[in-house]
């Protein structure tokens, strides 16, 4: 079975955001505006590109990343990697042509089936709603979290607020940086 890894920039109170910010709430842009930039704190992002063998995105994240990432040198490894977009509304005509193989998955059952295929780790970028749904369905195996020492209040949440059984995690890697940022890698205990 392939490992499904959720990767996110997240505030201490669980708000997640794209690196450039997202419109719609007062603190948008906090990932770079409110922190001293230390390149070593983002080393895990390069490692994710080297180790992942596929990407899963929700519709909104796909629509945000697909016009930008195909031409960015920082994300060149993702260009040749198979991409899967979980959406009930996108069609093949909505997919960009310059970002390599992209397949639309229509359900979490199709994500579960993808995990059963041969291959290496699958990385989930962004995709707040998808992350919550994948977690609730027990499909996430690992979290790569860059935790910012900020309390934001409003914003998209990485973790579901569904009333469910406790989900235990094991911390398998951790680093703290001079700017207060923490990198935490957790495996989901099954």
């Amino acid at each position: 079975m392939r490992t499904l890894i959720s990767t996110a920039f997240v505030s201490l109170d669980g708000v997640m955001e794209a690196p450039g910010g997202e419109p719609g709430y007062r603190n948008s842009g906090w990932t770079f505006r409110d922190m001293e930039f230390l390149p070593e704190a983002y080393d895990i992002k390069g490692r994710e590109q080297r180790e992942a063998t596929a990407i899963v995105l929700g519709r909104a994240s796909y629509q945000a990343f697909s016009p930008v990432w195909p031409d960015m040198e920082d994300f060149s490894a993702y260009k040749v990697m198979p991409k899967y977009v979980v959406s009930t509304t996108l069609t093949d005509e909505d997919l960009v042509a310059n970002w390599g193989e992209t397949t639309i998955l229509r359900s979490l059952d199709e994500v579960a089936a993808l995990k059963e295929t041969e291959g290496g780790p699958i990385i989930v970028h962004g995709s707040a709603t998808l992350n919550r749904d994948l977690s609730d369905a027990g499909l996430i195996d690992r979290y790569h979290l860059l935790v910012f020492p900020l309390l934001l209040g409003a914003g998209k949440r990485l973790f579901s607020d569904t009333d469910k059984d406790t989900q235990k995690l094991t911390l398998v890697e951790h680093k703290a940086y001079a700017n207060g940022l923490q990198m935490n890698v957790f495996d989901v205990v099954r």
Side-chain angles (χ1 to χ4, degrees):
M1 180 184 297
R2 298 170 81 172
T3 302
L4 188 65
I5 302 168
S6 169
T7 182
F9 295 144
V10 63
S11 67
L12 193 59
D13 58 346
V15 174
M16 66 180 293
E17 183 177 72
E22 298 178 47
Y25 66 101
R26 177 172 49 168
N27 292 314
S28 183
W30 54 268
T31 50
F32 288 118
R33 183 189 66 228
D34 295 329
M35 295 297 303
E36 173 192 0
F37 181 75
L38 296 177
E40 63 271 20
Y42 299 89
D43 286 346
I44 193 168
K45 296 297 159 196
R47 189 171 87 200
E48 288 169 353
Q49 285 188 70
R50 289 188 303 276
E51 294 175 359
T53 59
I55 304 171
V56 170
L57 298 164
R59 178 202 47 81
S61 290
Y62 176 80
Q63 289 177 320
F65 297 156
S66 65
V68 180
W69 279 18
D71 297 323
M72 290 182 69
E73 184 62 32
D74 287 347
F75 301 106
S76 61
Y78 288 144
K79 190 165 187 169
V80 297
M81 198 178 292
K83 284 158 281 306
Y84 299 88
V85 183
V86 182
S87 173
T88 58
T89 59
L90 284 181
T91 66
D92 287 336
E93 290 76 36
D94 296 319
L95 303 177
V96 299
N98 65 333
W99 204 19
E101 175 190 345
T102 304
T103 303
I104 299 172
L105 303 178
R106 298 294 181 195
S107 68
L108 295 181
D109 288 339
E110 290 186 26
V111 176
L114 174 64
K115 285 184 61 173
E116 296 294 331
T117 63
E118 293 294 319
I122 304 165
I123 196 93
V124 181
H125 274 284
S127 310
T129 301
L130 178 60
N131 262 288
R132 291 188 298 269
D133 292 345
L134 291 168
S135 176
D136 286 348
L139 294 174
I140 295 177
D141 301 298
R142 175 174 276 193
Y143 289 95
H144 287 186
L145 304 178
L146 284 176
V147 182
F148 289 70
L150 302 168
L151 299 174
L152 300 171
K156 294 179 185 175
R157 302 287 170 173
L158 173 61
F159 300 107
S160 170
D161 62 0
T162 303
D163 186 11
K164 60 183 175 185
D165 291 338
T166 300
Q167 185 174 52
K168 294 182 181 180
L169 306 174
T170 300
L171 183 66
V172 295
E173 187 178 350
H174 168 81
K175 289 184 184 172
Y177 300 94
N179 62 358
L181 194 64
Q182 295 181 20
M183 184 268 298
N184 294 306
V185 176
F186 292 99
D187 281 345
V188 176
V189 176
R190 304 255 187 248

